[in-house]
Amino acid sequence: HVIAAGRRTTIQNDISFILEHMKQSMARAIGNERVNGANSVVNVANIGANQAIRIYIDANGNGQRETAPGTDRWIAYRRITSGVNEGQLQYCPRCNNPNCVACAAPNPWGTAANILSRQIETFTPTKPGGAILSDNFVDIQLTACWDSDGVPDACGTTANPRVTMRSRINMPFVSTN
């Protein structure tokens, strides 16, 4: 029981860290999808086959949405859904474009500095309103297992505990009117 409790605590801390990271990053989101178009502030479409969320942030902190190079930019989070890196939740601090297939140097996708966890079973970002954001928040649900591939013990067992957390992350600089 002590080992299982320790594992559960470790993954709870992992998820709490990720949600706090997202909260701090997404608080800098800026724009209005009714003005700038669908998915111009938050995009929850997959990146390839990977569950993802992309957010347009006010990188220079001046309170204005800008598109000039070197000013505001896209950031992203994605969960790798298959292969050697399955279960990783990765962060991109600077996407090369709105699709964020590539993450800009010096920390491209998959570098150690961008891996927030290796134990994520599911990552479900939800954007109210669908294509056009209808409120200034997103809902995030993360599920993690001690051993996310479920081998030799399935997720949710005593030897391989599962933890799910949900959070509503507010974006104060996003307008929906």
Side-chain angles (χ1 to χ4, degrees), residues 76-167:
Y77 295 86
R78 73 176 183 180
R79 180 195 168 263
I80 305 301
T81 56
S82 64
V84 181
N85 297 322
E86 182 175 358
Q88 286 185 3
L89 187 76
Q90 300 176 350
Y91 168 66
C92 176
R94 180 182 291 275
C95 297
N96 284 343
N97 57 46
N99 295 327
C100 208
V101 173
C103 189
N107 295 315
W109 283 120
T111 56
N114 292 0
I115 299 170
L116 301 180
S117 177
R118 300 175 190 279
Q119 299 169 307
I120 304 301
E121 184 182 20
T122 62
F123 171 53
T124 311
T126 306
K127 174 180 167 180
I132 295 184
L133 194 64
S134 65
D135 212 329
N136 67 339
F137 65 84
V138 293
D139 288 316
I140 304 291
Q141 179 176 313
L142 287 168
T143 300
C145 285
W146 174 254
D147 182 6
S148 61
D149 69 3
V151 177
D153 298 304
C155 287
T157 60
T158 304
N160 190 8
R162 172 187 283 141
V163 173
T164 299
M165 290 187 184
R166 294 177 182 86
S167 183

Side-chain angles (χ1 to χ4, degrees), residues 28-30 56-64 66 72-73 173:
R28 297 169 42 202
I30 192 165
Y56 194 77
I57 64 163
D58 183 13
N60 59 8
N62 68 355
Q64 298 177 23
E66 301 160 323
D72 300 340
R73 65 177 180 268
F173 302 115

